[in-house]
Amino acid sequence: MIRLDVLAVGNLQRDDEGKVFDAHSSSVLIRTDERTIVVDTSTKYMRPAIKTSFRQIGAFQKDVDTVVLTHSHYDHIGNNDMFENAEILVHPDEHGKIVGAKLLETDKELVPGVRIMHTPGHTKGSISVFIKADKRYVIAGDAVPRYGNYEKMTPPAINIDADLAVESIKLITRYADVIIPGHDPPFLVER
Ligand SMILES: [Zn+2]
């Protein structure tokens, strides 16, 4: 059985000129028979919220054996040190920025029901986590940073390739019943 819990709901604020001044990513706990996985660790600001979530869920930080990073931007990696027993996995194209991380294989199952998909565009090495549980979930990181990117099929404001980024949003949308975006609450995909 796969259990999914959102440890922290991502958010993002812009100033009057549209410039981002505050960004904290979502952080998600996946518990399977094989592994206990955290996807993205958000920022130090979210640390108390993540700790509270563990207590409320009845899970323990020390039991986390795997941290998967959707990419290496600062607002997704700020609490890697909370999980001292975990190996940290990141796409080869993001690897240089994360000390001690191991390489993540994409388009492949990490454990049964949890597949890592390469979803580039925001960054070269952006990945998303596709999960088959009671519904089909995608933890998208900044491949889908906000609800509006899905709703309007617009690439993330920060991107290395806008067309590639939109292809990644389409790939995610085709699979998902529920998308957990990088910087918004989870939402349902309309069919
Ligand atoms: Zn990012």
Side-chain angles (χ1 to χ4, degrees):
M1 196 180 80
I2 296 178
R3 285 177 293 180
L4 204 65
D5 291 281
V6 177
L7 299 167
V9 176
N11 60 39
L12 188 148
Q13 286 179 283
R14 294 178 186 279
D15 64 18
D16 294 341
E17 278 133 36
K19 200 173 178 304
V20 173
F21 71 89
D22 202 23
H24 310 281
S25 84
S26 299
S27 178
V28 181
L29 179 67
I30 308 168
R31 286 176 289 172
T32 75
D33 294 337
E34 295 82 6
R35 283 184 192 246
T36 300
I37 306 161
V38 169
V39 181
D40 283 349
T41 66
S42 196
T43 61
K44 286 278 188 288
Y45 172 85
M46 284 292 198
R47 202 171 177 111
I50 293 172
K51 284 187 174 178
T52 300
S53 292
F54 271 96
R55 283 197 292 273
Q56 286 178 339
I57 293 161
F60 300 94
Q61 286 162 227
K62 69 168 180 47
D63 292 337
V64 174
D65 50 38
T66 311
V67 169
V68 171
L69 301 174
T70 59
H71 61 299
S72 58
H73 283 164
Y74 77 97
D75 53 327
H76 295 252
I77 65 170
N79 295 304
N80 290 358
D81 65 327
M82 280 176 74
F83 308 108
E84 56 194 19
N85 298 325
E87 58 175 359
I88 297 175
L89 301 177
V90 67
H91 188 277
D93 288 330
E94 309 277 327
H95 181 245
K97 299 161 208 158
I98 311 289
V99 178
K102 294 182 184 169
L103 299 183
L104 193 54
E105 287 188 73
T106 54
D107 308 326
K108 191 171 179 274
E109 277 195 334
L110 182 62
V111 294
V114 179
R115 182 174 288 274
I116 308 296
M117 297 296 288
H118 190 207
T119 50
H122 172 63
T123 62
K124 203 174 166 197
S126 283
I127 62 96
S128 298
V129 183
F130 286 38
I131 301 147
K132 179 97 181 64
D134 56 321
K135 290 183 169 64
R136 291 190 295 183
Y137 297 86
V138 174
I139 305 168
D142 289 350
V144 185
R146 311 209 72 184
Y147 177 74
N149 297 96
Y150 153 78
E151 191 186 24
K152 303 188 194 87
M153 282 290 152
T154 48
I158 297 168
N159 67 70
I160 52 133
D161 184 325
D163 292 338
L164 199 57
V166 171
E167 285 310 308
S168 290
I169 297 174
K170 286 180 182 167
L171 177 78
I172 289 163
T173 303
R174 276 199 296 274
Y175 177 83
D177 299 316
V178 177
I179 294 174
I180 303 171
H183 295 275
D184 254 338
F187 59 85
L188 285 167
V189 172
E190 305 281 342
R191 297 276 175 220

mmCIF file of all heavy atoms in Angstrom, residues 23-58:
data_model
loop_
_atom_site.group_PDB
_atom_site.id
_atom_site.type_symbol
_atom_site.label_atom_id
_atom_site.label_comp_id
_atom_site.label_asym_id
_atom_site.label_seq_id
_atom_site.Cartn_x
_atom_site.Cartn_y
_atom_site.Cartn_z
ATOM 1 N N ALA A 23 9.339 32.412 -1.699
ATOM 2 C CA ALA A 23 8.965 31.138 -2.327
ATOM 3 C C ALA A 23 9.365 29.975 -1.434
ATOM 4 O O ALA A 23 10.506 29.907 -0.965
ATOM 5 C CB ALA A 23 9.659 30.998 -3.686
ATOM 6 N N HIS A 24 8.406 29.108 -1.169
ATOM 7 C CA HIS A 24 8.655 27.909 -0.373
ATOM 8 C C HIS A 24 7.963 26.755 -1.087
ATOM 9 O O HIS A 24 6.775 26.846 -1.413
ATOM 10 C CB HIS A 24 8.075 28.065 1.036
ATOM 11 C CG HIS A 24 8.489 29.342 1.703
ATOM 12 N ND1 HIS A 24 9.726 29.511 2.279
ATOM 13 C CD2 HIS A 24 7.839 30.539 1.831
ATOM 14 C CE1 HIS A 24 9.822 30.746 2.762
ATOM 15 N NE2 HIS A 24 8.696 31.392 2.497
ATOM 16 N N SER A 25 8.682 25.680 -1.333
ATOM 17 C CA SER A 25 8.085 24.598 -2.120
ATOM 18 C C SER A 25 7.232 23.671 -1.259
ATOM 19 O O SER A 25 7.354 23.640 -0.032
ATOM 20 C CB SER A 25 9.182 23.771 -2.803
ATOM 21 O OG SER A 25 9.698 22.792 -1.919
ATOM 22 N N SER A 26 6.395 22.898 -1.923
ATOM 23 C CA SER A 26 5.701 21.787 -1.282
ATOM 24 C C SER A 26 6.719 20.735 -0.859
ATOM 25 O O SER A 26 7.799 20.624 -1.435
ATOM 26 C CB SER A 26 4.708 21.146 -2.261
ATOM 27 O OG SER A 26 3.727 22.071 -2.668
ATOM 28 N N SER A 27 6.347 19.969 0.162
ATOM 29 C CA SER A 27 7.152 18.823 0.581
ATOM 30 C C SER A 27 6.174 17.689 0.846
ATOM 31 O O SER A 27 5.130 17.898 1.476
ATOM 32 C CB SER A 27 7.938 19.176 1.852
ATOM 33 O OG SER A 27 8.697 18.068 2.305
ATOM 34 N N VAL A 28 6.492 16.485 0.325
ATOM 35 C CA VAL A 28 5.525 15.389 0.367
ATOM 36 C C VAL A 28 6.191 14.117 0.899
ATOM 37 O O VAL A 28 7.332 13.801 0.538
ATOM 38 C CB VAL A 28 4.951 15.113 -1.054
ATOM 39 C CG1 VAL A 28 3.923 13.990 -1.015
ATOM 40 C CG2 VAL A 28 4.332 16.381 -1.628
ATOM 41 N N LEU A 29 5.460 13.412 1.739
ATOM 42 C CA LEU A 29 5.921 12.126 2.284
ATOM 43 C C LEU A 29 5.208 10.989 1.553
ATOM 44 O O LEU A 29 3.973 11.006 1.427
ATOM 45 C CB LEU A 29 5.593 12.064 3.780
ATOM 46 C CG LEU A 29 5.967 10.784 4.537
ATOM 47 C CD1 LEU A 29 7.479 10.617 4.627
ATOM 48 C CD2 LEU A 29 5.346 10.803 5.942
ATOM 49 N N ILE A 30 5.987 10.020 1.061
ATOM 50 C CA ILE A 30 5.426 8.812 0.430
ATOM 51 C C ILE A 30 5.902 7.616 1.238
ATOM 52 O O ILE A 30 7.108 7.417 1.405
ATOM 53 C CB ILE A 30 5.936 8.637 -1.021
ATOM 54 C CG1 ILE A 30 5.738 9.900 -1.845
ATOM 55 C CG2 ILE A 30 5.235 7.448 -1.688
ATOM 56 C CD1 ILE A 30 6.500 9.863 -3.183
ATOM 57 N N ARG A 31 4.944 6.852 1.747
ATOM 58 C CA ARG A 31 5.315 5.634 2.471
ATOM 59 C C ARG A 31 4.866 4.400 1.690
ATOM 60 O O ARG A 31 3.686 4.270 1.363
ATOM 61 C CB ARG A 31 4.689 5.647 3.866
ATOM 62 C CG ARG A 31 5.407 6.628 4.794
ATOM 63 C CD ARG A 31 4.750 6.738 6.143
ATOM 64 N NE ARG A 31 3.480 7.447 6.055
ATOM 65 C CZ ARG A 31 2.613 7.546 7.061
ATOM 66 N NH1 ARG A 31 2.881 6.961 8.214
ATOM 67 N NH2 ARG A 31 1.490 8.228 6.909
ATOM 68 N N THR A 32 5.823 3.549 1.356
ATOM 69 C CA THR A 32 5.518 2.296 0.664
ATOM 70 C C THR A 32 6.095 1.164 1.512
ATOM 71 O O THR A 32 6.787 1.411 2.496
ATOM 72 C CB THR A 32 6.170 2.253 -0.739
ATOM 73 O OG1 THR A 32 7.572 2.009 -0.598
ATOM 74 C CG2 THR A 32 5.971 3.564 -1.496
ATOM 75 N N ASP A 33 5.834 -0.081 1.102
ATOM 76 C CA ASP A 33 6.410 -1.220 1.833
ATOM 77 C C ASP A 33 7.936 -1.215 1.755
ATOM 78 O O ASP A 33 8.615 -1.687 2.649
ATOM 79 C CB ASP A 33 5.882 -2.543 1.258
ATOM 80 C CG ASP A 33 4.373 -2.685 1.497
ATOM 81 O OD1 ASP A 33 3.861 -2.033 2.428
ATOM 82 O OD2 ASP A 33 3.727 -3.440 0.748
ATOM 83 N N GLU A 34 8.463 -0.662 0.648
ATOM 84 C CA GLU A 34 9.907 -0.730 0.405
ATOM 85 C C GLU A 34 10.671 0.469 0.940
ATOM 86 O O GLU A 34 11.803 0.328 1.397
ATOM 87 C CB GLU A 34 10.190 -0.838 -1.106
ATOM 88 C CG GLU A 34 9.701 -2.114 -1.750
ATOM 89 C CD GLU A 34 8.215 -2.066 -2.116
ATOM 90 O OE1 GLU A 34 7.601 -0.992 -1.960
ATOM 91 O OE2 GLU A 34 7.677 -3.100 -2.526
ATOM 92 N N ARG A 35 10.098 1.664 0.810
ATOM 93 C CA ARG A 35 10.843 2.871 1.157
ATOM 94 C C ARG A 35 9.935 3.910 1.803
ATOM 95 O O ARG A 35 8.719 3.925 1.569
ATOM 96 C CB ARG A 35 11.445 3.530 -0.099
ATOM 97 C CG ARG A 35 12.685 2.884 -0.671
ATOM 98 C CD ARG A 35 13.170 3.749 -1.830
ATOM 99 N NE ARG A 35 14.196 3.113 -2.640
ATOM 100 C CZ ARG A 35 15.458 3.548 -2.727
ATOM 101 N NH1 ARG A 35 15.857 4.620 -2.055
ATOM 102 N NH2 ARG A 35 16.321 2.937 -3.515
ATOM 103 N N THR A 36 10.561 4.784 2.605
ATOM 104 C CA THR A 36 9.898 5.976 3.118
ATOM 105 C C THR A 36 10.608 7.169 2.476
ATOM 106 O O THR A 36 11.805 7.381 2.689
ATOM 107 C CB THR A 36 9.991 6.037 4.649
ATOM 108 O OG1 THR A 36 9.348 4.861 5.173
ATOM 109 C CG2 THR A 36 9.303 7.275 5.202
ATOM 110 N N ILE A 37 9.844 7.894 1.649
ATOM 111 C CA ILE A 37 10.433 8.876 0.732
ATOM 112 C C ILE A 37 9.889 10.267 1.044
ATOM 113 O O ILE A 37 8.686 10.440 1.246
ATOM 114 C CB ILE A 37 10.064 8.525 -0.730
ATOM 115 C CG1 ILE A 37 10.460 7.082 -1.067
ATOM 116 C CG2 ILE A 37 10.682 9.524 -1.711
ATOM 117 C CD1 ILE A 37 9.750 6.508 -2.296
ATOM 118 N N VAL A 38 10.765 11.262 1.068
ATOM 119 C CA VAL A 38 10.314 12.654 1.073
ATOM 120 C C VAL A 38 10.681 13.255 -0.275
ATOM 121 O O VAL A 38 11.829 13.125 -0.728
ATOM 122 C CB VAL A 38 10.952 13.462 2.225
ATOM 123 C CG1 VAL A 38 10.702 14.961 2.060
ATOM 124 C CG2 VAL A 38 10.386 12.999 3.570
ATOM 125 N N VAL A 39 9.713 13.890 -0.931
ATOM 126 C CA VAL A 39 9.979 14.578 -2.192
ATOM 127 C C VAL A 39 10.025 16.083 -1.921
ATOM 128 O O VAL A 39 9.033 16.669 -1.485
ATOM 129 C CB VAL A 39 8.900 14.269 -3.250
ATOM 130 C CG1 VAL A 39 9.225 14.997 -4.561
ATOM 131 C CG2 VAL A 39 8.794 12.767 -3.492
ATOM 132 N N ASP A 40 11.179 16.667 -2.129
ATOM 133 C CA ASP A 40 11.501 18.076 -1.866
ATOM 134 C C ASP A 40 11.414 18.382 -0.362
ATOM 135 O O ASP A 40 10.554 17.855 0.346
ATOM 136 C CB ASP A 40 10.611 19.033 -2.666
ATOM 137 C CG ASP A 40 11.030 19.133 -4.131
ATOM 138 O OD1 ASP A 40 12.114 18.631 -4.477
ATOM 139 O OD2 ASP A 40 10.255 19.722 -4.923
ATOM 140 N N THR A 41 12.312 19.239 0.087
ATOM 141 C CA THR A 41 12.369 19.534 1.528
ATOM 142 C C THR A 41 12.090 21.006 1.829
ATOM 143 O O THR A 41 12.249 21.433 2.970
ATOM 144 C CB THR A 41 13.719 19.088 2.129
ATOM 145 O OG1 THR A 41 14.777 19.875 1.568
ATOM 146 C CG2 THR A 41 13.990 17.605 1.864
ATOM 147 N N SER A 42 11.667 21.761 0.805
ATOM 148 C CA SER A 42 11.212 23.142 0.992
ATOM 149 C C SER A 42 12.315 24.032 1.571
ATOM 150 O O SER A 42 13.487 23.874 1.209
ATOM 151 C CB SER A 42 9.931 23.164 1.827
ATOM 152 O OG SER A 42 9.294 24.411 1.720
ATOM 153 N N THR A 43 11.940 24.963 2.429
ATOM 154 C CA THR A 43 12.903 25.934 2.979
ATOM 155 C C THR A 43 12.909 25.856 4.505
ATOM 156 O O THR A 43 12.006 25.291 5.112
ATOM 157 C CB THR A 43 12.493 27.374 2.609
ATOM 158 O OG1 THR A 43 11.214 27.624 3.187
ATOM 159 C CG2 THR A 43 12.434 27.589 1.111
ATOM 160 N N LYS A 44 13.906 26.499 5.083
ATOM 161 C CA LYS A 44 14.002 26.564 6.552
ATOM 162 C C LYS A 44 12.718 27.138 7.169
ATOM 163 O O LYS A 44 12.304 26.742 8.247
ATOM 164 C CB LYS A 44 15.200 27.418 6.967
ATOM 165 C CG LYS A 44 16.538 26.731 6.756
ATOM 166 C CD LYS A 44 16.882 25.786 7.906
ATOM 167 C CE LYS A 44 18.297 25.250 7.789
ATOM 168 N NZ LYS A 44 18.462 24.257 6.706
ATOM 169 N N TYR A 45 12.104 28.087 6.480
ATOM 170 C CA TYR A 45 10.854 28.700 6.956
ATOM 171 C C TYR A 45 9.784 27.636 7.203
ATOM 172 O O TYR A 45 8.972 27.759 8.111
ATOM 173 C CB TYR A 45 10.382 29.721 5.918
ATOM 174 C CG TYR A 45 9.009 30.298 6.171
ATOM 175 C CD1 TYR A 45 8.830 31.396 7.012
ATOM 176 C CD2 TYR A 45 7.880 29.739 5.555
ATOM 177 C CE1 TYR A 45 7.572 31.919 7.247
ATOM 178 C CE2 TYR A 45 6.619 30.254 5.781
ATOM 179 C CZ TYR A 45 6.475 31.337 6.622
ATOM 180 O OH TYR A 45 5.226 31.848 6.847
ATOM 181 N N MET A 46 9.782 26.593 6.378
ATOM 182 C CA MET A 46 8.765 25.532 6.465
ATOM 183 C C MET A 46 9.123 24.438 7.479
ATOM 184 O O MET A 46 8.331 23.525 7.705
ATOM 185 C CB MET A 46 8.566 24.878 5.092
ATOM 186 C CG MET A 46 7.763 25.687 4.117
ATOM 187 S SD MET A 46 6.028 25.842 4.620
ATOM 188 C CE MET A 46 5.311 26.334 3.034
ATOM 189 N N ARG A 47 10.299 24.537 8.050
ATOM 190 C CA ARG A 47 10.773 23.461 8.934
ATOM 191 C C ARG A 47 9.800 23.160 10.080
ATOM 192 O O ARG A 47 9.466 21.991 10.313
ATOM 193 C CB ARG A 47 12.158 23.834 9.465
ATOM 194 C CG ARG A 47 12.996 22.693 9.931
ATOM 195 C CD ARG A 47 14.398 23.240 10.192
ATOM 196 N NE ARG A 47 15.276 22.247 10.702
ATOM 197 C CZ ARG A 47 16.319 21.735 10.021
ATOM 198 N NH1 ARG A 47 16.576 22.150 8.802
ATOM 199 N NH2 ARG A 47 17.091 20.841 10.572
ATOM 200 N N PRO A 48 9.311 24.169 10.798
ATOM 201 C CA PRO A 48 8.356 23.862 11.879
ATOM 202 C C PRO A 48 7.087 23.185 11.354
ATOM 203 O O PRO A 48 6.572 22.266 11.991
ATOM 204 C CB PRO A 48 8.039 25.241 12.475
ATOM 205 C CG PRO A 48 9.173 26.114 12.068
ATOM 206 C CD PRO A 48 9.631 25.606 10.731
ATOM 207 N N ALA A 49 6.597 23.618 10.203
ATOM 208 C CA ALA A 49 5.387 23.014 9.622
ATOM 209 C C ALA A 49 5.634 21.552 9.269
ATOM 210 O O ALA A 49 4.775 20.685 9.510
ATOM 211 C CB ALA A 49 4.967 23.794 8.373
ATOM 212 N N ILE A 50 6.805 21.266 8.726
ATOM 213 C CA ILE A 50 7.131 19.879 8.354
ATOM 214 C C ILE A 50 7.225 19.012 9.611
ATOM 215 O O ILE A 50 6.696 17.903 9.656
ATOM 216 C CB ILE A 50 8.438 19.833 7.526
ATOM 217 C CG1 ILE A 50 8.207 20.507 6.168
ATOM 218 C CG2 ILE A 50 8.928 18.397 7.345
ATOM 219 C CD1 ILE A 50 9.462 20.708 5.334
ATOM 220 N N LYS A 51 7.865 19.549 10.647
ATOM 221 C CA LYS A 51 7.971 18.793 11.918
ATOM 222 C C LYS A 51 6.591 18.516 12.498
ATOM 223 O O LYS A 51 6.306 17.409 12.967
ATOM 224 C CB LYS A 51 8.817 19.574 12.925
ATOM 225 C CG LYS A 51 10.290 19.512 12.625
ATOM 226 C CD LYS A 51 11.096 20.162 13.736
ATOM 227 C CE LYS A 51 12.587 19.969 13.489
ATOM 228 N NZ LYS A 51 13.402 20.618 14.508
ATOM 229 N N THR A 52 5.721 19.516 12.470
ATOM 230 C CA THR A 52 4.355 19.340 12.969
ATOM 231 C C THR A 52 3.621 18.272 12.161
ATOM 232 O O THR A 52 2.918 17.432 12.713
ATOM 233 C CB THR A 52 3.589 20.681 12.908
ATOM 234 O OG1 THR A 52 4.282 21.618 13.719
ATOM 235 C CG2 THR A 52 2.169 20.535 13.421
ATOM 236 N N SER A 53 3.806 18.298 10.857
ATOM 237 C CA SER A 53 3.145 17.302 10.003
ATOM 238 C C SER A 53 3.569 15.891 10.382
ATOM 239 O O SER A 53 2.728 14.997 10.477
ATOM 240 C CB SER A 53 3.459 17.565 8.530
ATOM 241 O OG SER A 53 2.852 18.766 8.120
ATOM 242 N N PHE A 54 4.860 15.698 10.600
ATOM 243 C CA PHE A 54 5.326 14.361 11.018
ATOM 244 C C PHE A 54 4.616 13.915 12.287
ATOM 245 O O PHE A 54 4.171 12.773 12.399
ATOM 246 C CB PHE A 54 6.851 14.342 11.216
ATOM 247 C CG PHE A 54 7.608 13.997 9.961
ATOM 248 C CD1 PHE A 54 8.127 14.992 9.158
ATOM 249 C CD2 PHE A 54 7.773 12.680 9.574
ATOM 250 C CE1 PHE A 54 8.811 14.689 7.990
ATOM 251 C CE2 PHE A 54 8.461 12.356 8.406
ATOM 252 C CZ PHE A 54 8.976 13.366 7.614
ATOM 253 N N ARG A 55 4.505 14.837 13.260
ATOM 254 C CA ARG A 55 3.839 14.472 14.516
ATOM 255 C C ARG A 55 2.368 14.139 14.287
ATOM 256 O O ARG A 55 1.841 13.170 14.840
ATOM 257 C CB ARG A 55 3.984 15.599 15.538
ATOM 258 C CG ARG A 55 5.371 15.628 16.180
ATOM 259 C CD ARG A 55 5.366 16.443 17.457
ATOM 260 N NE ARG A 55 5.164 17.854 17.199
ATOM 261 C CZ ARG A 55 6.149 18.714 16.918
ATOM 262 N NH1 ARG A 55 7.408 18.297 16.874
ATOM 263 N NH2 ARG A 55 5.890 19.985 16.695
ATOM 264 N N GLN A 56 1.708 14.939 13.478
ATOM 265 C CA GLN A 56 0.273 14.724 13.228
ATOM 266 C C GLN A 56 0.015 13.418 12.485
ATOM 267 O O GLN A 56 -0.960 12.725 12.742
ATOM 268 C CB GLN A 56 -0.304 15.902 12.430
ATOM 269 C CG GLN A 56 -0.461 17.142 13.290
ATOM 270 C CD GLN A 56 -0.989 18.317 12.492
ATOM 271 O OE1 GLN A 56 -0.890 18.369 11.274
ATOM 272 N NE2 GLN A 56 -1.557 19.293 13.201
ATOM 273 N N ILE A 57 0.913 13.100 11.547
ATOM 274 C CA ILE A 57 0.746 11.876 10.757
ATOM 275 C C ILE A 57 1.113 10.654 11.594
ATOM 276 O O ILE A 57 0.609 9.561 11.369
ATOM 277 C CB ILE A 57 1.639 11.963 9.491
ATOM 278 C CG1 ILE A 57 1.151 13.058 8.552
ATOM 279 C CG2 ILE A 57 1.688 10.627 8.752
ATOM 280 C CD1 ILE A 57 2.206 13.509 7.555
ATOM 281 N N GLY A 58 1.999 10.847 12.553
ATOM 282 C CA GLY A 58 2.504 9.715 13.331
ATOM 283 C C GLY A 58 3.664 9.035 12.622
ATOM 284 O O GLY A 58 3.878 7.831 12.754
#
